[in-house]
Amino acid sequence: MATKRPGEKTSSAAGPTDTRQSEAEIQETLVYMQCCGQEAPNMTESNGHRNVMTRNHQVPVFVPRGRAEGGWTHPSAPQQTTTPTVPSCPVSAPYSFRSPESVEMDEIMAAMVLTSMSCSPVVQSSPQSQNDPVPGPSSGGRDMECGSGDLECGSGDMECGGGELSDSGSSGYWSRDHDNVSPVLSLSVMEMDSSPDEGLHTELEQGVELNVAKRSKSSFRGAYRCLWPSCGKVLTSSVGMKRHVRVLHLGSASEQSHREEDFYYTDFSCRAPPALVPASHVPYGSPPGPGPGSGLQIPSSTSSSPSGSGSSRPSSGPGSTPGSGSSRPSSRHSSGPGSTPGSAPDQPSPLSQSAPSSFSQIQTDHLYQACAPLQVTVSCHNPAPCCWTPPPLTVSNQPSHHNSQVVRGRCRSVSVGEQWLQQNSTTNRLTPMRAASPSRSHCSFRKGRGEAKKCRKVYGVERKEQWCTACRWKKACQRFPD
DNA sequence: CTTGCCGGGAA
DNA sequence: TTCCCGGCAAG
């Protein structure tokens, strides 16, 4: 365990503030995490700083790492336990070989381990595994006293691998978007020990959120201790603690703060996963909404998240909740490797907040498409004479998903009449197609009249012969669909 | 009132 | 299936 020390160092590394109390240290770590590179620079510390940078910019990751390695390499070693791939050697060598992703993975794993250690109890609630719920009694005692102690303890108990996590993990890559280490995952990881795969990423993301949410929610039986550097306040309710953090510490933080609160306090029963928290937290915080991965992530995560954070996201609730809430969870449960079953579904993580809107939007689009495939607007506002392309185009709109996007240059003009015959033939062909298209029929609602002129207007009643058959039959105009 | 089109019916 | 129209709703 002596080796651990390095790990600690690492953690402390986050800040030069070693002098401070352990709690303070942790706090700092957290802070960094959250700052996520914003302020990080001063952190000079190899880990903290570097990591931060890394997080923000993946590119640099390796390089800095290599150097920094020296400092915390050892610490990383413990992680090795977690990750079989890396030999005991402290040297960055392994990393160097690896691709960034792999590195991240390691980080993630480490983080997961940590998480599992720290938070597992809560998660444990899930039937699947109770394996190692709490680091151990010893740790329990300590955590009260020193926040930092928590980390260490956890790591120590576990195997040290975890210890490093706090720093490396937090600072590490995993924080980036994976912030979420779902308890479940963590468990699985620990057990499995195998390297996480892509699947983990997704799950992790969700997991983290879940984790946080869980913690904040009712999951606990214990009291909550404020991790803020000088504040050791203990409250029995998470809500109260949040408030406390928000008001007293975060204060101005405002919106995001509400999410962050979670990270500033820990519950007694479970070791606070400071490292974990921050890591997860950071990414989201700094890069509002659109993370690199967000695109993909959002949809899925969003669904899960909406309900949870609730307080923060009033708006999101209505939109996102409906669809995602119910359906998602179920699928997830089933799909999950078994680990997730109990935990995940509902958790609303503040993190994912951005998602809801997008998600809803997507849904909307889909609906739109579904209902109004024909919606394609007719661009020919101007009756100006052009060569109007065959009406068939109109029909073609079927493929056009994007409502307005499809602009078809069609202009009908005097010549129209002449060409009409030809077109007419085409129209006829189309007719059947249209009939076939369910869209119209399905949408019972009568759509308002579009601005597009129809045959009647174009040709006039007197030239009714030129109308498309649909118009003649008083059906939806095929030639000039809206 | 005009226009666009659904719903339905007759051939 | 084709053709037609009553009637509704939007403008």
Side-chain angles (χ1 to χ4, degrees):
Chain A
M1 292 330 190
T3 51
K4 274 346 181 330
R5 297 301 88 175
E8 267 197 82
K9 186 178 185 177
T10 309
S11 62
S12 63
T17 58
D18 294 354
T19 57
R20 295 183 185 180
Q21 293 180 343
S22 58
E23 275 194 60
E25 290 180 1
I26 293 173
Q27 285 302 335
E28 300 235 359
T29 305
L30 290 176
V31 173
Y32 292 152
M33 301 295 292
Q34 292 184 353
C35 292
C36 155
Q38 293 175 351
E39 313 166 297
N42 40 357
M43 293 321 293
T44 55
E45 206 33 17
S46 61
N47 289 346
H49 180 75
R50 223 176 321 88
N51 288 334
V52 173
M53 295 301 290
T54 301
R55 240 178 277 141
N56 292 342
H57 315 287
Q58 296 185 355
V59 176
V61 172
F62 272 112
V63 175
R65 259 236 163 173
R67 287 192 216 152
E69 288 300 275
W72 61 297
T73 306
H74 289 286
S76 65
Q79 289 180 350
Q80 303 312 347
T81 55
T82 307
T83 311
T85 56
V86 179
S88 61
C89 297
V91 179
S92 60
Y95 284 101
S96 64
F97 290 95
R98 297 180 185 177
S99 63
E101 289 99 339
S102 63
V103 173
E104 285 188 5
M105 294 313 298
D106 291 346
E107 295 294 342
I108 293 170
M109 289 186 63
M112 288 171 47
V113 172
L114 236 189
T115 304
S116 64
M117 296 189 338
S118 63
C119 292
S120 59
V122 174
V123 176
Q124 297 324 338
S125 60
S126 65
Q128 73 175 165
S129 63
Q130 295 174 343
N131 47 6
D132 16 8
V134 180
S138 63
S139 63
R142 293 181 68 174
D143 64 354
M144 285 300 295
E145 296 175 359
C146 48
S148 61
D150 294 352
L151 291 178
E152 295 178 1
C153 293
S155 63
D157 292 350
M158 288 310 292
E159 282 306 55
C160 60
E164 279 32 325
L165 283 184
S166 61
D167 58 1
S168 65
S170 63
S171 57
Y173 313 80
W174 67 288
S175 61
R176 248 190 317 145
D177 28 42
H178 316 303
D179 43 352
N180 314 328
V181 176
S182 67
V184 172
L185 291 178
S186 62
L187 292 177
S188 63
V189 171
M190 291 185 63
E191 294 177 358
M192 297 182 67
D193 173 12
S194 62
S195 63
D197 34 357
E198 292 73 355
L200 286 180
H201 282 289
T202 56
E203 290 193 359
L204 286 179
E205 296 171 355
Q206 298 171 349
V208 173
E209 294 181 359
L210 293 177
N211 186 357
V212 173
K214 284 206 165 175
R215 229 206 286 145
S216 62
K217 285 202 163 175
S218 57
S219 43
F220 286 99
R221 60 301 193 152
Y224 298 85
R225 180 168 51 82
C226 178
L227 294 177
W228 198 265
S230 61
C231 176
K233 186 162 186 171
V234 175
L235 295 177
T236 56
S237 69
S238 62
V239 175
M241 181 53 73
K242 283 184 181 179
R243 216 186 324 152
H244 162 79
V245 173
R246 196 185 321 154
V247 175
L248 296 182
H249 305 307
L250 295 178
S252 60
S254 74
E255 308 203 355
Q256 284 189 343
S257 66
H258 85 354
R259 308 194 215 145
E260 298 177 346
E261 303 143 16
D262 292 332
F263 306 105
Y264 288 101
Y265 67 87
T266 183
D267 50 278
F268 284 56
S269 29
C270 339
R271 239 147 259 11
L276 204 181
V277 174
S280 62
H281 192 59
V282 174
Y284 286 89
S286 56
S294 65
L296 295 177
Q297 189 176 358
I298 291 173
S300 63
S301 65
T302 301
S303 62
S304 64
S305 61
S307 64
S309 49
S311 63
S312 62
R313 265 265 159 139
S315 63
S316 65
S320 61
T321 305
S324 63
S326 62
S327 64
R328 251 310 155 85
S330 63
S331 64
R332 185 153 289 184
H333 286 287
S334 62
S335 65
S339 60
T340 327
S343 62
D346 306 351
Q347 296 314 343
S349 72
L351 298 180
S352 63
Q353 289 179 345
S354 62
S357 61
S358 62
F359 183 72
S360 62
Q361 202 170 12
I362 292 170
Q363 284 185 330
T364 307
D365 289 350
H366 286 280
L367 290 177
Y368 182 75
Q369 290 178 351
C371 292
L374 294 182
Q375 286 297 358
V376 180
T377 58
V378 177
S379 63
C380 60
H381 296 296
N382 58 344
C386 303
C387 43
W388 97 319
T389 47
L393 289 179
T394 308
V395 175
S396 67
N397 58 3
Q398 39 85 307
S400 66
H401 307 305
H402 293 289
N403 17 7
S404 59
Q405 289 304 343
V406 179
V407 176
R408 47 193 116 162
R410 100 173 29 132
C411 306
R412 57 214 134 56
S413 63
V414 177
S415 63
V416 172
E418 298 174 357
Q419 293 183 344
W420 183 76
L421 292 176
Q422 296 176 352
Q423 297 171 359
N424 187 7
S425 64
T426 57
T427 302
N428 291 343
R429 285 183 303 167
L430 297 178
T431 305
M433 291 179 66
R434 174 191 55 176
S437 70
S439 63
R440 250 183 215 260
S441 61
H442 289 315
C443 298
S444 62
F445 70 90
R446 187 176 280 216
K447 65 181 174 183
R449 64 178 62 178
E451 68 266 26
K453 290 184 178 179
K454 306 294 180 170
C455 292
R456 180 191 291 258
K457 280 192 176 178
V458 175
Y459 302 106
V461 178
E462 58 281 15
R463 292 200 291 182
K464 192 171 183 177
E465 331 61 73
Q466 294 184 344
W467 293 6
C468 64
T469 54
C471 285
R472 275 183 279 151
W473 297 343
K474 294 175 77 173
K475 301 292 184 185
C477 178
Q478 286 182 303
R479 189 171 298 170
F480 307 106
D482 289 338

